Amino acid sequence: MGLRELHRRRFLTVAEPPVSPANTFIGGVATSIPTKAALATKLGILEGDISYFAVVGSDIEATIDVDYVILGSTFADDVDITDYKDTGKVTSVDGFAFSHLSSQGTSKLKNIVLPNATFVDRYAFSYLNAIEKIELNSLITLNGDNHFKNSGAKIYIPSIVSIGNNTTYSTIFDNTTARKTTVYLPPSFATVNGGGEEPDIASARSQGATINYIQNQTAPNQITDLSVNTVFATALQLNFTAPIGSINAIGHYQVYANGFYKGFITPGGYVTGLKPATDYSIEVKPVDIYYNKSTSNIVAQTTAISEPYPVSEIVSYYKTESNVLDSWGTNNGTANAIAYASGLVGQAAVMNGTTSEILIPDNDSLSFNGVSADKPFSMTQVIKFSSNGDRCLFMKGTLSDREYDGFLLASNKLAFRIFDKTATSAIYIQCSIDFTPTLGSYYVIHWMYSGNRLNTGMNIYVEEVKGTQILSSAGTFTGMGNKNLSLGLGKIPGYSSLNLSGSLEENIIWKTELSESQVSGVVSKIRTGQSLI
């Protein structure tokens, strides 16, 4: 029985979590708003107006018994909040209420649901770099300007009457390019400006936004076959098929865990950001092109106790999230001529093939020599190649003296070498596999050594597939040495040729030889778009 099937069967049947009595859900703020009194102070209401309050992990939920206004700057520049879902008590939103104007790029807020708010003032939802959807079902007036500036999202405003003054550009959706903005609104705004489109809507369209004028409010049919495939400690893989017979085309699917929005999903995709060994009620809701949202069937599931890979065996972990710091250990790297861009998981280090360099100073934890045998180790890398040819993917050492290295070869191979403890690069054992990369595609590559001082103990996996060993050696190899040499990622230290042209992320050094099932667990987690830690 495979690892995925074992997990699936082990956690197939669980009790469904109880339904919460709350009407307000705020994600990520349990540390800053740990009590009913703190929530009352934050929202400018009385503690007695809150009849129920609970902390659920890093989130809070509450029952608020009065209508209220989210006051100006209430959550401005808040770096913890991830979700604000109200079921009907918020009547309006003052200026800058959620804005990150003063701390751009730091917001984690993904989801805002305010179904009864009728008025939103200027800059209220501006500079929310992580935002995915904003639902304002009853909104009538967007007063002033810059409400959604630099906040690309799915923005649902089906009852809107006034966008600014409807005839003047007010930068309400400004800078939506590359932010995947979709605005859902009444068709009257196509002609409200003297027969032409409302100026802010026209501007949003010109900047790359999608404008969907709502033609009807018929919800799509429900998903009927939602199931859990693979179970992780912090993620679940979900299977489902598109509902049949809906009036309008399906635009996207939204996934919820215990009532909290978790993101968009496709069949076979993953719901992430969960907690280990926790009961979840999972919903997937089809949403059509006019943002009509279906009800959902629900599947109950418990996450796994631990991940299917040995976290305790990690030596160093380089996520490349705008830096090359060690997210696990203390072996921080130095970046030279590195740019950062969106990658498979988070950000990736983009390397130019010549001067780009990630250099990690020598440390005993990065050497794997032993007495009667070497110590086992592995390296995992997520790599996107921009060009072929001989390319260094990692090297501990220099051209004249090394401990270990990995290369893409112009002969369409990956080559892994372990070097002898003598002060030379002329003695080594080697394992190669056939490999022709598709330029621009991501690969999860693993390099493993059992420590047996034989090339038969070396393996290379691409994704979950172990390559067929092509074994070779030079000289008489007697074991690895600790040569006090720096480790270069994507570059030969001190050399300007044969270096990676492409991107690197999720560089992980392990003090163990990963097993086949552990490789599978690593790949599955990374392919969900998540780091391992």
Side-chain angles (χ1 to χ4, degrees):
M1 183 184 299
L3 177 68
R4 294 183 179 183
E5 180 65 12
L6 178 64
H7 280 179
R8 190 188 71 81
R9 294 187 184 185
R10 182 180 178 189
F11 297 103
L12 187 61
T13 304
V14 297
E16 187 171 320
V19 177
S20 169
N23 61 14
T24 304
F25 303 85
I26 310 177
V29 298
T31 299
S32 58
I33 309 177
T35 65
K36 182 189 295 188
L39 179 61
T41 299
K42 187 74 169 176
L43 298 181
I45 59 177
L46 299 176
E47 186 174 350
D49 295 331
I50 304 173
S51 57
Y52 164 80
F53 178 88
V55 172
V56 184
S58 60
D59 311 320
I60 64 172
E61 58 183 36
T63 300
I64 297 176
D65 300 321
V66 295
D67 293 343
Y68 65 100
V69 175
I70 299 179
L71 300 173
S73 301
T74 296
F75 292 96
D77 303 308
D78 188 313
V79 297
D80 296 318
I81 187 170
T82 61
D83 192 290
Y84 199 105
K85 178 185 175 184
D86 161 62
T87 59
K89 291 299 183 180
V90 175
T91 59
S92 64
V93 183
D94 281 353
F96 296 88
F98 294 93
S99 176
H100 265 247
L101 175 61
S102 298
S103 56
Q104 296 177 28
T106 64
S107 174
K108 298 176 185 175
L109 185 57
K110 294 175 60 176
N111 175 49
I112 298 171
V113 178
L114 305 171
N116 282 358
T118 59
F119 180 93
V120 171
D121 211 346
R122 63 193 303 261
Y123 281 92
F125 308 117
S126 61
Y127 295 93
L128 301 179
N129 55 281
I131 196 72
E132 293 182 357
K133 68 183 186 76
I134 301 174
E135 298 179 9
L136 303 166
N137 301 55
S138 303
L139 183 66
I140 295 172
T141 302
L142 284 167
N143 183 64
D145 54 57
N146 291 294
H147 304 79
F148 306 102
K149 185 179 179 68
N150 280 22
S151 294
K154 296 186 183 300
I155 301 168
Y156 182 57
I157 46 175
S159 304
I160 192 71
V161 173
S162 175
I163 299 177
N165 66 8
N166 292 341
T167 58
T168 303
Y169 174 53
S170 304
T171 62
I172 287 175
F173 305 96
D174 197 43
N175 197 7
T176 58
T177 302
R179 283 189 154 82
K180 300 180 181 178
T181 297
T182 304
V183 184
Y184 305 83
L185 74 167
S188 59
F189 283 86
T191 55
V192 71
N193 184 26
E197 195 167 48
E198 196 281 332
D200 283 288
I201 297 299
S203 174
R205 187 191 298 277
S206 71
Q207 294 179 65
T210 299
I211 308 301
N212 285 353
Y213 289 113
I214 300 168
Q215 302 301 318
N216 61 62
Q217 294 185 323
T218 304
N221 291 334
Q222 184 184 68
I223 291 171
T224 58
D225 60 351
L226 179 63
S227 64
V228 176
N229 184 11
T230 309
V231 178
F232 297 98
T234 59
L236 300 170
Q237 184 184 31
L238 305 180
N239 284 342
F240 60 92
T241 55
I244 299 173
S246 299
I247 299 299
N248 307 313
I250 302 299
H252 65 279
Y253 299 91
Q254 297 175 3
V255 61
Y256 296 77
N258 291 352
F260 276 91
Y261 170 77
K262 288 296 182 179
F264 304 132
I265 195 168
T266 56
Y270 297 82
V271 52
T272 62
L274 307 180
K275 297 177 177 61
T278 301
D279 293 344
Y280 282 98
S281 177
I282 303 296
E283 302 173 77
V284 175
K285 299 182 179 182
V287 183
D288 69 22
I289 57 174
Y290 303 128
Y291 211 85
N292 300 311
K293 191 182 301 185
S294 173
T295 56
S296 173
N297 63 334
I298 298 173
V299 61
Q301 183 65 60
T302 301
T303 49
I305 296 172
S306 60
E307 300 291 8
Y309 46 81
V311 173
S312 62
E313 300 299 312
I314 295 174
V315 175
S316 291
Y317 196 128
Y318 303 94
K319 294 184 178 183
T320 64
E321 294 296 319
S322 300
N323 60 60
V324 291
L325 300 179
D326 185 350
S327 298
W328 182 263
T330 59
N331 297 316
N332 292 329
T334 300
N336 295 308
I338 296 289
Y340 297 94
S342 295
L344 181 62
V345 175
Q347 287 190 307
V350 180
M351 311 193 74
N352 60 25
T354 53
T355 58
S356 295
E357 178 179 51
I358 299 173
L359 189 64
I360 301 160
D362 176 61
N363 186 279
D364 287 348
S365 65
L366 302 175
S367 295
F368 301 96
N369 55 301
V371 180
S372 59
D374 294 330
K375 298 173 185 176
F377 75 99
S378 304
M379 182 174 292
T380 298
Q381 296 177 294
V382 176
I383 306 175
K384 181 171 70 173
F385 298 94
S386 297
S387 63
N388 290 312
D390 292 331
R391 300 291 177 183
C392 176
L393 305 180
F394 61 90
M395 179 183 289
K396 190 168 194 295
T398 64
L399 285 177
S400 60
D401 196 11
R402 286 169 259 185
E403 293 181 28
Y404 49 85
D405 67 24
F407 272 80
L408 170 69
L409 300 180
S411 57
N412 294 324
K413 288 179 173 59
L414 292 173
F416 181 26
R417 289 183 293 185
I418 306 291
F419 292 86
D420 192 73
K421 58 191 173 185
T422 55
T424 178
S425 291
I427 302 173
Y428 58 84
I429 53 177
Q430 175 171 313
C431 174
S432 302
I433 67 168
D434 290 323
F435 175 71
T436 304
T438 299
L439 301 185
S441 295
Y442 291 101
Y443 295 93
V444 186
I445 300 175
H446 315 267
W447 319 76
M448 279 106 77
Y449 176 46
S450 69
N452 68 353
R453 294 181 171 170
L454 300 171
N455 53 15
T456 55
M458 304 171 69
N459 280 292
I460 305 171
Y461 282 70
V462 177
E463 304 293 330
E464 300 173 80
V465 179
K466 181 167 69 173
T468 300
Q469 293 171 313
I470 304 170
L471 303 177
S472 59
S473 62
T476 302
F477 181 84
T478 59
M480 299 183 71
N482 184 344
K483 302 182 179 183
N484 302 313
L485 300 168
S486 297
L487 171 63
L489 298 177
K491 187 179 189 298
I492 301 171
Y495 195 65
S496 60
S497 298
L498 309 180
N499 301 313
L500 175 64
S501 176
S503 66
L504 278 174
E505 58 181 311
E506 302 300 303
N507 292 264
I508 311 161
I509 302 168
W510 314 76
K511 56 183 178 181
T512 188
E513 180 188 20
L514 295 175
S515 68
E516 188 166 324
S517 64
Q518 289 168 345
V519 167
S520 178
V522 169
V523 173
S524 295
K525 186 66 175 288
I526 287 175
R527 285 292 177 180
T528 70
Q530 295 186 99
S531 291
L532 304 189
I533 59 174

